[in-house]
Structures are given as C-alpha cells and as structure tokens.
Amino acid sequence: MSVPRTVDFYFDLSSPYSYLAATQLPAVAARHGATIRWRPMVLAAVFTAAGNRMPAASPPKAAWMLQDLARWSAIYGVPFRMNGRFPLNTIPAMRLVLVADGHGVAEAVARDAFRRTWAEDQDPNEHLAEMAAAAGLPDGAHTSVQDPAVKEALKASTDEAIARGVFGAPAMFVGDQLFWGNDRLDMLERALAAG
Amino acid sequence: MSVPRTVDFYFDLSSPYSYLAATQLPAVAARHGATIRWRPMVLAAVFTAAGNRMPAASPPKAAWMLQDLARWSAIYGVPFRMNGRFPLNTIPAMRLVLVADGHGVAEAVARDAFRRTWAEDQDPNEHLAEMAAAAGLPDGAHTSVQDPAVKEALKASTDEAIARGVFGAPAMFVGDQLFWGNDRLDMLERALAAG
C-alpha cells in the first residue's frame, strides 16, 4: 500500500534561504508525488527556544552569506535581491499564509510573499490585500491577520516546529527526519525517493 | 597561459565537517589539476575573532548535526564515529601538520589525524609519534610541536584565516572566493571548473 507522502516545510518569510528553498521544493515534491505543508514559524522565537541565534550575527559570516545567496540564485536561475530592511518582521504576512491555508492556497500566498521580499525588495506586510486578491481569497480576508485565532495559529505553528526540534530555517521534515537548510534539498529528495 | 590552481583548505582537526571535506577534497582537486594547501587553524580563536560560536551550542542543532554527519558519511561511503571527547583540543596534532608541511607531507598527517579522530574515536594528540613515523618524518620530529616557531606557525595560519574572512570550518578558497562548509564542495568544484 502506497502512503501519500508529505513534506512539512517550516519557514520564516524573513529568511532568504527559506525563499531559495521555496523556489525549488514544489518541483522536488512533485517528482515524488509528495505534498507540501506550508508552515510559517516565527524564527526569532525558534532561535530563543533552541538557544540559537541568527546566522548573520557574525559579521564575516554575514558578508559570506551575501556571496552564497548570490551563488544559489545563479545556480537555481531565480532572482535574488537582498532586502534593504533585513532583518525584517514578517509576522503579518505569515499570518496571511495561515489564513490562505484555510482556503487551500497557502502555497500561492507564501510564494508571492517570498518573491516580493527576496526578489523585489518589498515589505510583504504592506501588500497583504494584493497578495490575498492574487490568491483568490475573499474580499477583506487580509484583515483577519489581526484576529486572535489567526495570531494564535502562528504561535501554534511556531510551537509545533520547536517541539519537533527545529532550530533554524528552512526546516523540512519527511516523516520524523529533519532536513535543515536550502542546502539539504538533495538529502530531502533522497529521503522521498527512498520512500 | 594556464596558471596552476590551488585550493587553500583551512580546517581544525576537531571539526567533523572538516574531516568529511578532507575525505573528498583531494579527488575534487585532482579532477581539476589543482593542489591543496593544508592550513590548520585554531577554530576557537576564529570563532572569537569572527563573533561566531560553535554550531553545537544549540542543543537541538547539536542533535540534528549527529544525524546530518551520519547522512554525509553514508553518502560518501566513509566511516564516521562521533568522538567521545567532543569538543576536543587538537592543537598539538595541528602543529604536527605544519611540521609535516615543511617536509611536503602535510596531507598524509592531516588525513591520518582526521581518520583517528573521526573514524576511530582516538585523541590524535596521543599518537603524534605514530603519525610522524607513518608519514616518513625524521625520528623525533613529533617533539618539535613544542618548538616556539611551530607554535607561532599555527598562530600565523589561524591569523591568516581570520584576515581572509574565515568564520567557521572547513573554509576553502579558490583565489579570493570563500566556500564555507563540507556542503559547499559542489560550489567549490564549479569554481575550479570555471577556471
């Protein structure tokens, strides 16, 4: 009996490596008939819980990451532009992903928000209405990012990630196997291929 | 005119990802006619200078790294065994690499020390005489790890890494292009292929 496979994709829209992974993961999953659960999480809260900190805290590491991000962008053939607001708070936009998830269009909103943030130097929080409309959400859906239940859903998604041992972004699970980082997509694909 | 290419390989023997990279780098370099400069560095000093810290400082990250190291070991088909002393001080063994470098056999000593540390759960500092003999160094060469000039050479190698923007291990350069991590060997090879 074949069990439909799922990749649980935990990300923060403020994470450029999460953006890079999001440009590739749908094709990786499709090659193996797997579906993606788009799970936004508040990375700052994850870092605190995990005793971790943002990778760019080391100045020479931050400088190298800019080169590394440009290299991945070239390899993938996707646009990348460092966001001038980095580090940026993307909590409202991540709540919109969860609102969209309730309508079955989390991927559309997540990818739209990633593109705006990491290819077009936008603040995604300033474009919630446009993103909601582009994804076909009902009129006014974007205002629900202030609803207590939606706020709670993002906290729950974050807590879920922490409980599963996530310490950074992106974090991807196949079953209980954790793959951390855009640079582990190959290993993730091996796990999907192995069933 | 073809310029002989070089990969500057900065590593700490205490770094398991440096071990993994060292099992693959000679073949990568050979495919492109490149030579490797084996440059030990004191990673603790690099972390301090770079405002960085050891990756395993986050408990869930440390737990994941054990899985990740096992996965790389399987992909590469090389033995790996977590060293029971981790984190361990490998300064004397790294000095022996520099002594060996003066005799043209840095690679032999470095790979021997890596294997002992990350495949055989040994403390490499306890096997300096054996490693020196295996590499064909003159009798008593291993005692020179206490020479002031040898101590200074390791400091100089470490300072050189820091001055070049190194913040973690392994760090590999092709020209002035820095590639950080065992997981960037593919990018390193692209750089060698591009000439």
Side-chain angles (χ1 to χ4, degrees):
Chain A
M1 191 178 74
S2 173
V3 177
R5 275 167 295 178
T6 301
V7 177
D8 296 330
F9 179 53
Y10 294 93
F11 61 92
D12 189 312
L13 292 170
S14 72
S15 154
Y17 287 107
S18 295
Y19 157 71
L20 287 170
T23 67
Q24 307 300 309
L25 188 56
V28 171
R31 282 196 285 274
H32 302 278
T35 55
I36 303 170
R37 287 178 70 226
W38 295 77
R39 301 295 284 159
M41 63 179 176
V42 180
L43 189 54
V46 169
F47 283 154
T48 299
N52 204 357
R53 57 177 196 164
M54 59 183 295
S58 158
K61 187 173 183 179
W64 175 82
M65 284 172 63
L66 288 178
Q67 302 176 331
D68 188 59
L69 289 163
R71 288 170 183 156
W72 283 109
S73 159
I75 289 171
Y76 287 166
V78 299
F80 177 78
R81 184 174 165 192
M82 191 63 198
N83 194 296
R85 298 161 193 81
F86 189 81
L88 71 167
N89 172 339
T90 58
I91 287 177
M94 291 202 287
R95 288 184 192 143
L96 188 65
V97 173
L98 290 171
V99 171
D101 196 40
H103 295 269
V105 290
E107 174 173 344
V109 170
R111 296 182 76 176
D112 191 3
F114 269 131
R115 182 181 50 78
R116 289 171 184 272
T117 309
W118 295 111
E120 299 178 6
D121 197 28
Q122 294 181 11
D123 178 343
N125 303 328
E126 295 175 357
H127 300 276
L128 300 182
E130 295 158 70
M131 294 193 291
L137 294 181
D139 281 354
H142 67 284
T143 62
S144 60
V145 300
Q146 296 302 333
D147 289 355
V150 174
K151 293 182 177 181
E152 194 52 47
L154 182 57
K155 284 183 191 152
S157 181
T158 303
D159 289 344
E160 175 189 292
I162 292 166
R164 296 183 76 178
V166 172
F167 53 85
M172 300 162 286
F173 285 89
V174 175
D176 60 0
Q177 294 180 78
L178 168 59
F179 300 91
W180 170 57
N182 165 67
D183 49 19
R184 292 302 184 274
L185 281 172
D186 282 352
M187 281 194 187
L188 173 82
E189 184 151 14
R190 287 171 188 258
L192 286 172
Chain B
M1 191 176 78
S2 173
V3 177
R5 275 166 295 179
T6 302
V7 176
D8 295 331
F9 179 52
Y10 294 94
F11 60 92
D12 189 311
L13 291 169
S14 72
S15 153
Y17 286 107
S18 294
Y19 157 70
L20 287 170
T23 66
Q24 307 300 308
L25 189 56
V28 171
R31 281 196 285 275
H32 302 277
T35 55
I36 303 170
R37 287 178 70 226
W38 295 76
R39 301 295 284 158
M41 63 178 177
V42 180
L43 190 54
V46 170
F47 283 154
T48 299
N52 204 357
R53 57 176 198 166
M54 60 182 294
S58 158
K61 188 173 182 177
W64 175 82
M65 285 171 62
L66 289 178
Q67 302 176 329
D68 188 59
L69 290 162
R71 288 170 184 156
W72 282 109
S73 159
I75 289 171
Y76 288 165
V78 299
F80 177 78
R81 184 173 165 192
M82 190 63 200
N83 194 295
R85 298 160 194 80
F86 188 80
L88 71 167
N89 173 340
T90 58
I91 287 176
M94 291 202 287
R95 289 184 191 141
L96 188 65
V97 174
L98 290 172
V99 171
D101 196 39
H103 296 269
V105 291
E107 174 171 345
V109 171
R111 296 182 76 176
D112 191 2
F114 269 132
R115 182 181 50 77
R116 289 171 185 273
T117 310
W118 295 111
E120 299 177 6
D121 196 27
Q122 294 182 11
D123 178 344
N125 303 327
E126 295 176 358
H127 301 276
L128 298 182
E130 296 157 70
M131 293 193 292
L137 293 181
D139 281 354
H142 68 284
T143 62
S144 61
V145 301
Q146 296 302 333
D147 290 356
V150 174
K151 293 182 177 181
E152 194 52 47
L154 182 57
K155 284 183 192 152
S157 181
T158 303
D159 288 344
E160 175 188 294
I162 292 167
R164 296 183 76 178
V166 172
F167 53 86
M172 300 162 287
F173 284 88
V174 175
D176 60 0
Q177 294 179 79
L178 168 59
F179 299 91
W180 170 57
N182 165 68
D183 50 17
R184 292 300 185 275
L185 281 171
D186 282 351
M187 280 193 188
L188 173 83
E189 184 152 13
R190 286 169 189 259
L192 287 172

